[in-house]
């Protein structure tokens, strides 16, 4: 369930089908990552510079400045702005934060205030940004829904001020650029409440229910355990996981063609959510912060969604296998 899909650059290992056992939430520096430090191809970044190699660092900066951040509304791109254009229009700041992705040690970034980035990207839309809901989409398919009021307090890191290029992030040593969401406050280092998606590609203005309509347990009684589970899934799990093909693309699909509650026991699911390493070593973080009632809610949500399957892919495959008429 957590911050942390195919990266459009070095191939990401797929989680084993059995990892579909469960949702991985993006709780810690365990977000699945690319296998090396190569900058994302779709971000048009150059190969990382070597400390002390000013020529290579300068080349990297020039190419990285051409990287674009897309701004979309309800799934439709409105504009794309290069890093150079954003930096020129807004002006960057140097901020130092204790970064969870770097073992909590201080990292210094050249960054843009998120408020200014949103104002520039959605200029002319006539929206009160703090009342909107956003979806932060990354190159790998990781997608973070977040409310505008909270997002306005974040920063977009555009350069690593500690080294000539970007220092790799996480256990797989991924390249975090060209855009990396960071938070400045000491009280803003909890990855669940203040997610830090790296390789940010698109900022989309969209209501969650409109973006992921088939993830919502429509018809369940208000205040039921299923709705409690949905709230947890929406906040912590959809970043990596999909239900009915809607959601993140980093972790496995949880509802189609079979729901995890249709082939795993409740006790297995509970244990796997709490501590996936009891089953195998994987990139999925532990979730020991979840109460029993939270796990009850997630199971109720999965059961509710197992009765609300939406699987266009199955229809497509069925059509492809259907016998063709002939003379």
């Amino acid at each position: 369930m957590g911050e942390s899909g195919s990266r459009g650059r070095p191939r990401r290992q797929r989680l084993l089908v059995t990892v579909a056992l469960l949702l991985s939430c993006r709780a810690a520096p365990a977000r699945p990552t690319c296998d090396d430090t190569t900058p994302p191809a779709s971000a048009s970044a150059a190969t990382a510079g070597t400390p002390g190699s000013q020529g290579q660092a300068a080349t990297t900066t020039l190419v990285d400045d051409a990287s674009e951040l897309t701004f979309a509304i309800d799934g439709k791109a409105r504009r794309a702005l290069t890093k150079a254009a954003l930096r020129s229009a807004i002006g960057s700041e140097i901020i130092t934060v204790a970064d969870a992705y770097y073992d909590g040690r201080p990292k210094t970034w050249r960054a843009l205030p998120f408020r200014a980035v949103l104002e520039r990207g959605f200029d002319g839309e006539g929206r009160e940004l703090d009342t909107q809901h956003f979806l932060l989409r990354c190159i790998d398919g990781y997608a973070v829904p977040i409310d505008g009021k909270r997002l306005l307090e974040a920063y977009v890191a555009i350069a690593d001020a500690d080294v000539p290029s970007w220092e790799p992030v996480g256990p797989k040593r991924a390249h975090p650029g060209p855009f990396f969401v960071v938070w400045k406050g000491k009280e803003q280092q909890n990855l669940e409440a203040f997610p830090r998606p790296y390789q940010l590609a698109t900022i989309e203005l969209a209501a969650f229910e409109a973006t992921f309509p088939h993830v919502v347990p429509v018809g369940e009684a208000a205040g039921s355990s299923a709705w409690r589970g949905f709230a947890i899934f929406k906040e912590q799990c959809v970043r990596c996981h999909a239900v009915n093909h809607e959601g993140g693309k980093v972790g496995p699909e949880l509802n189609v063609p079979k729901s995890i509650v249709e082939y795993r026991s409740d006790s297995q699911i509970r244990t796997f959510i709490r501590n996936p390493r009891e089953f195998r070593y994987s990139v999925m973080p532990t979730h020991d912060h979840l109460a029993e009632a939270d796990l009850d809610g997630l199971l109720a949500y999965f059961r509710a969604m197992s009765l609300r399957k939406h699987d266009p892919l199955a229809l497509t495959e069925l059509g492809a296998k259907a016998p063709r008429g002939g003379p």
Side-chain angles (χ1 to χ4, degrees):
M1 297 194 248
E3 191 178 288
S4 43
S6 71
R7 293 214 168 245
R9 61 196 226 328
R11 295 184 300 276
R12 173 191 302 284
Q13 286 186 330
R14 289 253 178 215
L15 295 178
L16 296 175
V17 174
T18 49
V19 172
L21 219 192
L22 268 206
L23 26 106
S24 72
C25 288
R26 169 65 168 270
R31 170 177 168 186
T33 59
C34 295
D35 294 332
D36 60 30
T37 60
T38 307
S42 61
S44 303
T47 51
T50 310
S53 176
Q54 294 184 349
Q56 185 172 359
T59 302
T60 301
T61 300
L62 288 173
V63 179
D64 195 48
D65 273 352
S67 301
E68 291 186 336
L69 187 58
T70 299
F71 298 84
I73 297 179
D74 295 329
K76 296 180 179 180
R78 293 302 179 95
R79 62 174 57 89
L81 298 175
T82 65
K83 181 183 293 187
L86 286 167
R87 190 177 65 246
S88 175
I90 297 171
S92 60
E93 302 178 19
I94 297 294
I95 64 172
T96 299
V97 298
D99 200 305
Y101 281 141
Y102 296 92
D103 300 321
R105 62 182 167 84
K107 280 292 297 178
T108 301
W109 307 102
R110 183 171 295 279
L112 307 173
F114 222 114
R115 176 185 290 275
V117 171
L118 294 177
E119 289 173 347
R120 192 72 180 176
F122 294 105
D123 183 40
E125 298 297 339
R127 311 255 185 156
E128 293 292 333
L129 296 175
D130 60 344
T131 65
Q132 305 299 314
H133 285 81
F134 294 87
L135 194 63
L136 307 181
R137 296 187 182 274
C138 300
I139 292 169
D140 62 3
Y142 181 66
V144 181
I146 188 169
D147 62 274
K149 184 177 181 180
R150 190 171 14 155
L151 187 58
L152 291 177
E153 299 179 7
Y155 284 78
V156 179
I158 59 172
D160 188 329
D162 290 333
V163 296
S165 186
W166 295 82
E167 182 178 353
V169 65
K172 293 294 185 69
R173 310 295 289 164
H175 188 290
F179 302 100
F180 180 21
V181 179
V182 297
W183 303 80
K184 189 176 180 180
K186 291 182 179 180
E187 73 287 357
Q188 296 175 324
Q189 301 311 306
N190 179 293
L191 289 172
E192 293 296 345
F194 303 97
R196 306 165 78 84
Y198 49 82
Q199 295 186 3
L200 180 65
T202 300
I203 302 173
E204 183 176 346
L205 201 162
F208 181 89
E209 288 75 6
T211 306
F212 304 128
H214 299 101
V215 170
V216 184
V218 176
E220 287 294 307
S224 68
S225 187
W227 279 107
R228 177 174 183 155
F230 167 69
I232 296 169
F233 183 83
K234 174 181 175 181
E235 178 67 21
Q236 301 184 39
C237 312
V238 76
R239 306 173 190 180
C240 291
H241 291 277
V243 162
N244 292 333
H245 298 294
E246 296 176 1
K249 314 249 182 250
V250 173
E253 158 72 48
L254 298 176
N255 201 51
V256 294
K258 283 188 175 292
S259 166
I260 56 171
V261 295
E262 294 175 321
Y263 60 89
R264 296 295 181 190
S265 69
D266 286 6
S267 62
Q268 284 181 314
I269 295 173
R270 286 174 180 274
T271 302
F272 196 90
I273 294 176
R274 279 277 175 78
N275 185 11
R277 289 166 183 76
E278 288 194 22
F279 290 80
R280 64 182 58 81
Y281 298 115
S282 75
V283 295
M284 178 172 165
T286 59
H287 301 95
D288 49 14
H289 63 284
L290 293 176
E292 287 298 319
D294 295 330
L295 297 176
D296 290 341
L298 284 169
L299 287 167
Y301 170 68
F302 293 143
R303 282 191 287 268
M305 296 313 296
S306 73
L307 304 176
R308 294 167 171 80
K309 294 188 178 183
H310 175 76
D311 193 1
L313 182 60
L315 296 176
T316 300
E317 292 184 352
L318 183 63
K321 295 177 181 178
R324 305 298 183 194

